[in-house]
Amino acid sequence: MSTDSIVSNLWNRYVSALKHSEFRRYWYGASIAAAGVWGLIVARGALAYQISDQSSTAVGLTTFAALIPFVIVPPFSGIMADRFDRKKLVAIGHGSNIIFALMLAIIYYFYTTELWHLVALSLFSGIARGFQLPAQIALVPNLVPKTDLLNAIALSNLSLQGSRFFGSILVTGIMLTSWGVGAAFVVAVFLYTIATFLVLSLKTESRGIIDTRISFLETVSAGLVYAYKNPGVGLMLVLIGFHCSLTMSFESVFPAHVTDVFGIGLSGYSSIISFFGAGAVVGVISIAAIRSDVTKGRLLMLTGLGSSSGVLLLALSPSIIYGLGAAFLMGLTQAPFMSLSMTYIQSVVPDNIRGRVGSLFTISALSLMAISNLTLGNLADTYGSEIVLIVPGLIFLLIIILVILFIPTMNKIFFKGFPKLTV
């Protein structure tokens, strides 16, 4: 077989969704926007830690403000994603964050940055993303055939996690220059601007169906009713909530951990985020070519079991070298778990209600991450970062074991695989 044939086969296997021009354009925009998101997360966290005399609670409060809108906004944004043009909703979310990142840059360079500035603008940014994400989740399945859905979702997660890696490295370099953290906010403005133009260039029509004959309450609760009547979807959303709150909510803990345990500066904080992103890239690429429904189910179980191991290893790491390896392992298992669980939901849920069910995903994942980040940051200030990493990691490991042993619906998904796709 020629080299060209080998390359072509690998391309078709691992990035098959990119052969669809609409998804390819969307993916470029999502990747660029995600770099802006992670750049802002690292920059805001580092700045909050600096101006609050190294308080993990302050970092947790900033992260909490960015994520707490996902408790309130998604039920309404889910309706919008099923009623209006989804690509325009995504563009509005990006455009709003251009404004908020620009305001952060202006405050940093021309005023004295205070914690409430970071909290308030993180809150506004979270509200914008809360309206954007259900539309973004619902848009992807309309850009590819169902046979390429896992690949599309894996590549979408790859863009998020890869941007976590590259965005964190970029911000680390910027923070060490004379421009300081504020330059990261300026870069985010440019990244969001590019992403906005790319998503507006999409031609695919994507919207759901809202039955105007039913009441507002029935419209809002339709996604919840669907999840209740389809226990595989409902239980998957619950498991995602546990996963995100117990293994993925440590942004508020990392600055204290690298400072107090590893004895290095805040560059170690962004390094931990970067290595998590690198592990996530490898993990997501590894599952991108999977077509077997049985393999998807078993890998979902295995990555769930593995999600806690990286957290526990990070807590027990004696130095930054081991800590970076643990962060890599966290990304290697956690990102595929999220990609696979989202693929299951997207495979089952019909398009006309996908926005509202997608809003439940954002509530399950991001709202609990908000509460958990605030809580864990506060606990880290009191009890130390090691114990705050160990206890949630052990709890999630126990939850996965109990689900395997005692929840037949999830057991069937784990061992018999995802439902067959109808193409």
Side-chain angles (χ1 to χ4, degrees):
M1 184 180 291
S2 67
T3 302
D4 289 343
S5 298
I6 293 173
V7 172
S8 177
N9 287 338
L10 289 174
W11 176 269
N12 290 331
R13 183 177 180 186
Y14 285 97
V15 291
S16 58
L18 290 180
K19 67 188 176 189
H20 307 289
S21 60
E22 287 284 273
F23 176 78
R24 188 166 60 247
R25 196 178 297 115
Y26 159 83
W27 187 76
Y28 292 151
S31 300
I32 292 169
V37 170
W38 283 111
L40 285 175
I41 288 173
V42 173
R44 288 187 312 225
L47 189 55
Y49 195 67
Q50 289 174 341
I51 67 177
S52 62
D53 296 324
Q54 300 186 333
S55 168
S56 293
T57 300
V59 182
L61 183 61
T62 303
T63 306
F64 174 82
L67 295 178
I68 194 59
F70 292 97
V71 175
I72 303 169
V73 172
F76 304 99
S77 59
I79 293 175
M80 294 177 67
D82 284 336
R83 185 165 186 176
F84 301 107
D85 189 333
R86 290 163 177 162
K87 66 176 181 290
K88 291 181 180 178
L89 294 175
V90 175
I92 290 171
H94 290 336
S96 299
N97 273 300
I98 293 172
I99 297 171
F100 302 139
L102 183 60
M103 291 176 68
L104 280 169
I106 292 171
I107 291 171
Y108 180 85
Y109 285 119
F110 298 104
Y111 301 92
T112 300
T113 307
E114 299 181 21
L115 183 61
W116 75 267
H117 293 143
L118 298 175
V119 172
L121 288 169
S122 294
L123 178 66
F124 295 144
S125 177
I127 292 172
R129 292 189 68 222
F131 277 101
Q132 168 198 326
L133 282 182
Q136 190 165 308
I137 290 170
L139 174 62
V140 170
N142 295 133
L143 303 177
V144 295
K146 285 189 175 182
T147 50
D148 289 326
L149 182 57
L150 173 58
N151 189 259
I153 291 174
L155 289 175
S156 296
N157 204 352
L158 175 65
S159 72
L160 177 65
Q161 304 303 341
S163 298
R164 182 195 291 248
F165 175 65
F166 292 110
S168 300
I169 289 178
L170 178 64
V171 169
T172 301
I174 288 172
M175 288 193 299
L176 297 176
T177 68
S178 59
W179 289 93
V181 177
F185 303 141
V186 175
V187 169
V189 170
F190 285 103
L191 294 176
Y192 273 120
T193 300
I194 296 170
T196 301
F197 283 110
L198 282 171
V199 75
L200 285 175
S201 71
L202 296 177
K203 298 177 181 179
T204 301
E205 286 294 325
S206 176
R207 68 179 74 213
I209 299 173
I210 298 290
D211 189 346
T212 57
R213 296 170 297 178
I214 64 176
S215 68
F216 176 76
L217 181 60
E218 289 176 300
T219 302
V220 171
S221 61
L224 191 61
V225 171
Y226 180 90
Y228 177 78
K229 291 182 177 180
N230 294 268
V233 173
L235 288 168
M236 192 70 73
L237 289 168
V238 172
L239 191 59
I240 289 168
F242 280 124
H243 180 263
C244 290
S245 60
L246 294 172
T247 73
M248 296 185 69
S249 299
F250 297 114
E251 283 85 359
S252 60
V253 179
F254 288 158
H257 195 70
V258 299
T259 302
D260 299 339
V261 177
F262 298 149
I264 59 177
L266 284 174
S267 61
Y269 166 48
S270 58
S271 297
I272 290 288
I273 300 293
S274 295
F275 270 72
F276 182 102
V281 168
V282 174
V284 171
I285 289 176
S286 298
I287 68 166
I290 294 172
R291 295 297 179 108
S292 168
D293 295 316
V294 174
T295 303
K296 292 173 189 175
R298 292 180 181 175
L299 280 176
L300 178 66
M301 177 183 65
L302 291 175
T303 53
L305 288 168
S307 285
S308 299
S309 58
V311 176
L312 297 174
L313 287 173
L314 180 62
L316 300 173
S317 293
S319 68
I320 185 61
I321 299 299
Y322 292 98
L324 294 177
F328 184 89
L329 181 59
M330 289 171 67
L332 186 68
T333 53
Q334 292 174 15
F337 178 89
M338 295 301 292
S339 292
L340 288 162
S341 58
M342 173 53 70
T343 300
Y344 175 85
I345 292 172
Q346 296 285 47
S347 300
V348 173
V349 178
D351 190 57
N352 67 314
I353 199 172
R354 192 174 284 131
R356 280 164 286 180
V357 176
S359 73
L360 294 179
F361 173 84
T362 60
I363 292 173
S364 179
L366 297 178
S367 65
L368 290 178
M369 286 178 70
I371 297 168
S372 187
N373 256 297
L374 181 62
T375 303
L376 294 176
N378 186 270
L379 291 173
D381 283 338
T382 304
Y383 299 105
S385 57
E386 296 101 319
I387 192 68
V388 170
L389 290 166
I390 289 171
V391 173
L394 288 175
I395 291 174
F396 187 72
L397 181 61
L398 178 62
I399 288 172
I400 286 289
I401 292 172
L402 292 175
V403 166
I404 294 171
L405 294 176
F406 299 110
I407 308 295
T409 299
M410 293 303 299
N411 190 278
K412 181 179 179 181
I413 294 171
F414 288 153
F415 290 100
K416 294 188 178 180
F418 287 13
K420 296 290 182 182
L421 297 176
T422 56
V423 183

